[in-house]
Amino acid sequence: MTASRPVALSKSIEPAGPSAASGMHRSQLTGCHWNNVKSVLRDVRLRPTRQRTALAWILFGMGDRHITAEMLYEEATKAKVPVSLATVYNTLHQFTDVGLLRQVAVDGSKTYFDTNVSPHHHFFVEGENELLDIADTDMVVGKTPVAPEGYEIARIDVVVRLRRKPR
Amino acid sequence: MTASRPVALSKSIEPAGPSAASGMHRSQLTGCHWNNVKSVLRDVRLRPTRQRTALAWILFGMGDRHITAEMLYEEATKAKVPVSLATVYNTLHQFTDVGLLRQVAVDGSKTYFDTNVSPHHHFFVEGENELLDIADTDMVVGKTPVAPEGYEIARIDVVVRLRRKPR
DNA sequence: TTACGTGCAAATAATTTGCAGTCCC
DNA sequence: GGGACTGCAAATTATTTGCACGTAA
């Protein structure tokens, strides 16, 4: 369930996250619940603080997501999680450093973070700033180039730019 | 002759461009010389002003290039072409709009412009902020995904991220 | 307690914009 | 001459940083 139609992901998500840092309901988790969030954080050596835990919950609590710092900040705020934008940025980078997130480079000025860290590519809807996963079975890179002397390939990113069909 | 080894392109280029807007020497042009620059500009309905012509000369006067606004501004300045950074940005976007340039999305915060507008992909050297062309014969996208309902594929961009090989 | 986290505000960085003055056709 | 083009400075947008205070272990 990676590829889908271009819907505003951010809007389709009701911030049913944790109310503050204690409300431990579990609506539509992807297999991990509240306590797991904390243990995951401990596993990567990040202290499970109130905001970190809450942000992790929002990020990983419901399927794959593509999110910007600003979006995450708004969601956290709506979910009544007190957190500052600076902390959101810090947290996103910390999560990226430990491999929980992946930074996606599209062309906009904004940086997107993808909760799906397994190899896959993206659709990008121009104008709408909408990112969508492409199922890896739908996109196959046939021939890959040889890395220049002294370098090795770290990753291959494919962005399929979409445009709204005329008429 | 698109793919090559990671060399600092910007450094390997001696700003042998036009001294002011009159010096019409032609060192290593790619087929078009000073007068052609002007007619190309006219073709795309852009008035061949001093700075526009000079910037076009720098951009297209010597093979394929990957350049940022800042880089172009510095080159122009070094080449004694009086131009402001704002004008460089404007010009780059105007050129992109008429199809003379292509904007390349890598991950950095900076925007790169590619003078090679034909379909091809890129190597991106992390850390060095170095962009390199990949010959289209070296990179083949096997299977392309179907665009979601109501959308069509505008372009497919592939970025092969390189990392300096350890040891 | 005590180092690690967090919030806030100020600092950067890249890019855009408003507007008065300049230059091509 | 007149509208397109430029330059400069100020405004925006996205992100980072410095530092006093808060909090998990």
Side-chain angles (χ1 to χ4, degrees):
Chain A
M1 43 82 106
T2 33
S4 55
R5 58 253 127 44
V7 209
L9 290 179
S10 53
K11 288 171 196 151
S12 64
I13 291 160
E14 289 305 313
S19 338
S22 48
M24 180 191 161
H25 35 205
R26 43 154 116 172
S27 28
Q28 354 135 31
L29 341 186
T30 324
C32 71
H33 38 116
W34 196 245
N35 289 312
N36 288 349
V37 169
K38 291 198 174 184
S39 54
V40 166
L41 289 182
R42 282 203 199 82
D43 288 349
V44 296
R45 315 270 144 136
L46 286 176
R47 205 184 268 178
T49 61
R50 187 198 316 281
Q51 22 284 313
R52 208 126 71 181
T53 313
L55 292 179
W57 174 271
I58 295 178
L59 285 171
F60 309 111
M62 49 186 86
D64 298 340
R65 312 197 52 184
H66 302 95
I67 205 170
T68 63
E70 205 74 44
M71 286 163 58
L72 181 53
Y73 175 66
E74 275 177 40
E75 276 195 48
T77 301
K78 269 190 274 184
K80 300 284 184 297
V81 178
V83 67
S84 74
L85 186 54
T87 296
V88 169
Y89 273 105
N90 288 335
T91 304
L92 284 172
H93 286 139
Q94 290 160 348
F95 284 3
T96 300
D97 289 343
V98 298
L100 287 177
L101 289 177
R102 177 178 142 182
Q103 240 174 299
V104 182
V106 278
D107 74 358
S109 47
K110 288 183 179 150
T111 302
Y112 282 81
F113 292 86
D114 191 343
T115 58
N116 179 180
V117 292
S118 60
H120 66 284
H121 304 299
H122 298 95
F123 275 127
F124 179 66
V125 185
E126 318 194 312
E128 265 137 292
N129 283 121
E130 185 60 39
L131 252 193
L132 299 167
D133 280 340
I134 294 177
D136 27 344
T137 51
D138 288 343
M139 171 105 242
V140 179
V141 175
K143 185 179 178 184
T144 58
V146 187
E149 254 308 294
Y151 292 82
E152 60 186 0
I153 295 178
R155 198 171 89 195
I156 296 185
D157 288 337
V158 179
V159 175
V160 178
R161 266 153 235 285
L162 298 178
R163 157 202 320 141
R164 185 164 263 143
K165 205 179 286 182
R167 185 151 322 99
Chain B
M1 44 66 126
T2 32
S4 56
R5 56 251 127 41
V7 211
L9 290 179
S10 54
K11 288 170 195 151
S12 64
I13 291 162
E14 289 305 316
S19 338
S22 49
M24 180 192 160
H25 35 207
R26 41 155 116 174
S27 26
Q28 350 135 37
L29 343 185
T30 327
C32 72
H33 38 116
W34 197 243
N35 289 312
N36 288 349
V37 169
K38 291 198 175 185
S39 53
V40 167
L41 288 182
R42 281 201 202 83
D43 288 349
V44 297
R45 318 268 142 138
L46 286 175
R47 209 182 264 177
T49 61
R50 187 199 315 282
Q51 23 283 310
R52 205 123 76 180
T53 313
L55 293 179
W57 174 271
I58 296 178
L59 284 171
F60 309 111
M62 49 185 85
D64 298 340
R65 313 195 52 183
H66 301 95
I67 204 170
T68 62
E70 205 73 45
M71 286 162 60
L72 180 54
Y73 175 67
E74 275 178 40
E75 275 194 49
T77 301
K78 268 189 276 184
K80 299 283 183 296
V81 178
V83 68
S84 74
L85 186 54
T87 296
V88 170
Y89 273 105
N90 289 334
T91 304
L92 285 172
H93 286 138
Q94 291 160 350
F95 284 4
T96 301
D97 289 343
V98 299
L100 287 177
L101 289 177
R102 178 177 142 181
Q103 239 175 301
V104 183
V106 280
D107 74 358
S109 46
K110 286 177 180 155
T111 302
Y112 282 81
F113 292 86
D114 191 344
T115 59
N116 180 180
V117 292
S118 59
H120 66 286
H121 304 298
H122 298 96
F123 276 128
F124 180 66
V125 185
E126 319 195 311
E128 264 138 291
N129 284 119
E130 185 60 38
L131 250 194
L132 298 168
D133 279 341
I134 293 177
D136 26 347
T137 50
D138 287 345
M139 170 107 245
V140 178
V141 174
K143 184 179 178 184
T144 58
V146 188
E149 253 308 294
Y151 291 82
E152 60 185 1
I153 295 179
R155 201 171 88 195
I156 297 185
D157 288 338
V158 179
V159 175
V160 177
R161 266 153 233 288
L162 298 178
R163 153 198 327 137
R164 184 163 264 142
K165 203 180 288 182
R167 184 154 317 96

